[in-house]
């Protein structure tokens, strides 16, 4: 006998259509999460749904005709268990309307921050406490006036470096919190390493570990806020509330520094609301400009996508050059090699650029390419890195992969580029060996002066 109600994963187009209809019926925006589940009745009608996107629960809805507190409890309990057992996520969060706060607290979730139109809760009661304790321990190592700055650094530019160097002179100690979300061109690990290059340069600067408790636009869902004009303000309110009540007190920070962004209305609004909402001093530092335009990471990313990196070397902080070079090398490999990138059985010959094995193999080279692009990596160290890269790509691909043939030429080119940038700040074509490899030629054309 079919059960009265059954929880199932949403997998078919028909089921996704039903989820969309239910969300709209509940006055929620129809955003379906990567992992979505629903409760179906005996007639196969969807009566409730919820989804998990990373560590954020989204799209919780119950059909108004069958209101039952057991449904959201069952769904959320399932998602928390799934996140921990399958997704490797120990701490699950939910953003929801304030009127549903008690329901989620009943499920054992802890409120972290609240704004007029939203509340943030966490399924692991000790998650925020652990991060706050870490911040407090780090802060206790230093005395005097303390400031904090939250940075994405995607990638780290001379504008970011100027901002940090400027504000570091205004406090005894400056903490930098990198945005943790991996929704950027460069990973969290890469961006934190870029920022650490500033810590090595400035004695009173300390780069902390990032956390999900610095709310990013990438994690803040908008599906439950009907008025579009309120979305940004609600996100900013929550972020400021969490920062004011937990982050700043743990650090003992009395001032938060921000960079101006005259051409970005959202950043301007963020800065304005921080000055209004935070119970500490907020100091806005004007961005430095080049060619009547602010030096920004978006200009660097645009040059990367257009394969014209030679135009932006003066704007890039030295600590980010290895990672930009590594990404450019992987981008060149991806663009130049499709069907010919893989040498194996016929079934691989037509996979082209859309082959997941090819894409993942190239992506796996990024951290090793970055190490090859550190100034001074030559000789035995470079050889060792190339051998490691060859082994890794063959292991990942699982078959004879032509990409391994390009490791050594790319390694030499990356080392030569790093040397040129370190010595003169730009790359000349004659600094690099002539090549007939299409991917390497594309890389050289992108990074060197025409």
């Amino acid at each position: 006998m079919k059960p009265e109600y059954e929880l199932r994963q949403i997998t078919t187009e028909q089921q996704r259509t039903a989820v969309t209809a239910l969300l709209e019926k509940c006055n929620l925006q129809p955003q379906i999460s990567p992992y979505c589940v629903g409760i179906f009745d005996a007639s196969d009608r969807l009566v409730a749904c919820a989804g998990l996107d990373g560590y954020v629960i989204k799209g919780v809805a119950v059909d108004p005709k069958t209101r039952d507190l057991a449904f959201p409890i069952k769904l959320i309990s399932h998602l928390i268990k799934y996140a921990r057992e399958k997704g490797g996520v120990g701490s699950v969060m939910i953003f929801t309307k304030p009127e549903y706060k008690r329901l989620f607290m009943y499920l054992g979730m802890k409120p972290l921050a609240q704004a007029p139109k939203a509340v943030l809760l966490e399924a692991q009661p000790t998650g925020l406490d652990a991060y706050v304790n870490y911040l407090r321990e780090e802060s206790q190592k230093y005395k005097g006036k303390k400031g904090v700055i939250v940075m994405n650094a995607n990638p780290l530019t001379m504008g970011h470096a100027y901002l940090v160097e400027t504000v570091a002179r205004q406090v005894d100690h400056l903490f930098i919190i990198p945005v943790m979300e991996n929704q950027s061109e460069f990973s969290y690990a890469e961006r934190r390493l870029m920022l650490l290059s500033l810590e090595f340069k400035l004695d009173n600067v300390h780069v902390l570990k990032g956390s999900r408790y610095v709310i990013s636009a990438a994690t803040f869902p908008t599906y439950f806020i009907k008025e579009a004009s309120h979305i940004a303000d609600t996100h900013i309110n929550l972020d400021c509330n969490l920062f004011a009540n937990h982050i700043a007190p743990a650090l003992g920070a009395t001032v938060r520094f921000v960079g101006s962004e005259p051409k970005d209305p959202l950043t301007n609004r963020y800065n304005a609301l921080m000055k209004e909402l935070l119970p500490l001093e907020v100091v806005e530092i004007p961005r430095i400009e080049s060619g009547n335009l602010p030096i920004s990471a978006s200009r660097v990313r645009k040059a990367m996508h257009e394969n014209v990196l030679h135009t932006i070397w003066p704007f890039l902080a030295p600590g980010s050059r290895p990672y930009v070079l590594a990404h450019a090398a992987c981008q060149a490999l991806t663009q130049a090699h499709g069907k010919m990138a893989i040498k194996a059985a016929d079934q691989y010959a037509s996979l082209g650029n859309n082959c997941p094995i090819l894409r993942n193999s190239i992506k796996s080279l990024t951290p090793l390419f970055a190490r090859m692009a550190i100034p001074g990596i030559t000789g035995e160290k470079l050889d060792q890195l190339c051998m490691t890269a060859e082994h890794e790509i063959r292991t990942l691909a699982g078959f004879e992969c032509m990409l391994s043939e390009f490791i050594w030429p790319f390694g030499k080119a990356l080392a030569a580029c790093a040397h040129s940038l370190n010595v003169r700040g730009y790359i000349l074509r004659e600094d690099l060996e002539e090549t007939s490899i299409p991917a390497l030629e594309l890389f050289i054309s992108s990074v060197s002066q025409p």
Side-chain angles (χ1 to χ4, degrees):
M1 182 178 178
K2 194 170 183 178
E4 185 179 4
Y5 293 105
E6 184 180 10
L7 188 150
R8 291 184 238 146
Q9 183 181 353
I10 303 301
T11 57
T12 69
E13 190 59 39
Q14 183 179 1
Q15 290 172 339
R16 283 190 283 270
T17 300
V19 170
T20 298
L22 178 57
L23 290 171
E24 290 177 338
K25 183 186 289 188
C26 296
N27 293 317
L28 302 175
Q29 295 183 32
Q31 300 176 5
I32 302 179
S33 299
Y35 180 76
C36 187
V37 291
I39 293 178
F40 295 82
D41 64 14
S43 62
D44 212 32
R45 182 176 66 92
L46 180 71
V47 296
C49 65
L52 183 70
D53 188 354
Y55 59 84
V56 179
I57 294 175
K58 298 181 179 181
V60 181
V62 180
D63 192 321
K65 294 181 180 178
T66 56
R67 286 289 182 187
D68 190 331
L69 284 178
F71 291 159
I73 291 172
K74 188 174 182 180
L75 287 167
I76 292 164
S77 298
H78 170 83
L79 290 176
I80 292 172
K81 183 178 179 182
Y82 175 87
R84 290 173 178 167
E85 295 180 357
K86 305 292 185 181
V89 178
S91 175
V92 178
M93 293 181 173
I94 187 165
F95 299 81
T96 189
K97 296 178 181 179
E99 54 262 39
Y100 299 139
K101 176 180 175 179
R102 288 185 177 275
L103 168 63
F104 293 109
M105 289 179 66
Y106 172 77
L107 290 170
M109 302 190 82
K110 177 182 177 179
L112 301 183
Q114 185 156 346
K117 292 184 178 293
V119 62
L120 169 64
L121 302 100
E122 184 179 31
Q124 182 180 343
T126 60
L128 177 59
D129 293 341
Y131 187 65
V132 165
N133 288 337
Y134 157 74
L135 296 179
R136 189 174 292 113
E137 288 174 4
E138 292 298 315
S139 179
Q140 288 173 353
K141 298 175 183 177
Y142 310 100
K143 305 297 182 183
K145 183 178 179 180
K146 300 168 186 176
V148 62
I149 185 168
V150 177
M151 302 190 83
N152 196 24
N154 182 39
L156 183 72
T157 67
M158 293 303 293
H160 293 115
Y162 167 81
L163 176 60
V164 171
E165 290 168 4
T166 299
V167 303
R169 292 192 291 266
Q170 301 181 29
V171 290
D172 295 304
H173 198 80
L174 176 68
F175 295 106
I176 301 178
I177 301 177
V179 174
M180 193 175 186
E181 297 307 319
N182 273 321
Q183 303 284 341
S184 303
E185 186 89 20
F186 296 86
S187 69
Y188 161 70
E190 289 173 326
R191 291 181 286 105
R192 188 168 186 270
L193 286 169
M194 294 179 201
L195 288 168
L196 281 170
S197 67
L198 299 179
E199 178 178 304
F200 298 145
K201 182 180 177 182
L202 302 166
D203 292 337
N204 68 330
V205 170
H206 180 47
V207 179
L208 298 166
K209 296 176 184 177
S211 82
R212 61 189 60 180
Y213 305 108
V214 176
I215 305 168
S216 75
T219 59
F220 178 67
T222 61
Y223 67 88
F224 62 89
I225 300 178
K226 196 169 184 180
E227 304 87 349
S229 60
H230 293 166
I231 290 173
D233 279 11
T234 300
H235 163 217
I236 298 167
N237 266 269
L238 277 176
D239 193 35
C240 287
N241 184 266
L242 192 54
F243 185 87
N245 291 332
H246 302 283
I247 308 298
L251 288 173
T254 57
V255 56
R256 176 165 173 174
F257 297 100
V258 297
S260 66
E261 190 67 69
K263 297 186 180 296
D264 184 351
L266 179 59
T267 301
N268 282 333
R269 180 61 177 161
Y270 217 121
N271 291 349
L273 276 181
M274 275 195 283
K275 293 174 183 176
E276 178 184 326
L277 298 171
L278 292 181
L280 63 159
E281 184 183 7
V282 177
V283 177
E284 188 171 357
I285 306 297
R287 293 285 185 96
I288 56 172
E289 297 186 350
S290 176
N292 295 321
L293 290 172
I295 295 177
S296 68
S298 61
R299 290 178 69 181
V300 175
R301 295 193 301 272
K302 185 173 184 292
M304 291 175 65
H305 295 155
E306 295 175 354
N307 292 315
V308 288
L309 279 171
H310 60 270
T311 64
I312 53 83
W313 292 127
F315 313 138
L316 208 57
S320 60
R321 290 171 184 168
Y323 307 98
V324 172
L325 284 168
H327 277 252
C330 290
Q331 179 174 301
L333 278 169
T334 302
Q335 291 178 349
H337 293 279
K339 294 179 182 179
M340 299 304 295
I342 298 173
K343 179 174 65 179
D346 290 341
Q347 64 262 35
Y348 296 116
S350 61
L351 291 174
N353 286 328
N354 292 323
C355 172
I357 298 174
L358 173 62
R359 292 198 309 272
N360 291 336
S361 297
I362 292 174
K363 188 176 181 180
S364 74
L365 295 172
T366 308
L368 288 164
F369 275 173
R371 291 173 64 186
M372 295 175 194
I374 295 174
I377 300 293
T378 56
E380 290 184 8
K381 288 184 179 180
L382 181 60
D383 289 345
Q384 185 61 51
L385 287 170
C386 289
M387 285 189 287
T388 302
E390 278 189 334
H391 174 76
E392 183 165 326
I393 203 164
R394 284 172 177 158
T395 301
L396 182 63
F399 51 83
E400 184 64 22
C401 181
M402 282 182 64
L403 289 173
S404 62
E405 299 178 11
F406 307 134
I407 299 298
W408 294 82
F410 264 93
K412 291 180 180 180
L414 286 163
C417 288
H419 177 74
S420 294
L421 288 173
N422 191 47
V423 170
R424 69 166 80 93
Y426 57 90
I427 301 166
L428 295 176
R429 192 175 183 87
E430 50 262 37
D431 296 337
L432 306 169
E433 295 180 6
E434 290 295 324
T435 180
S436 59
I437 301 173
L440 189 52
E441 175 60 32
L442 179 60
F443 170 73
I444 292 172
S445 298
S446 172
V447 301
S448 62
Q449 301 285 69

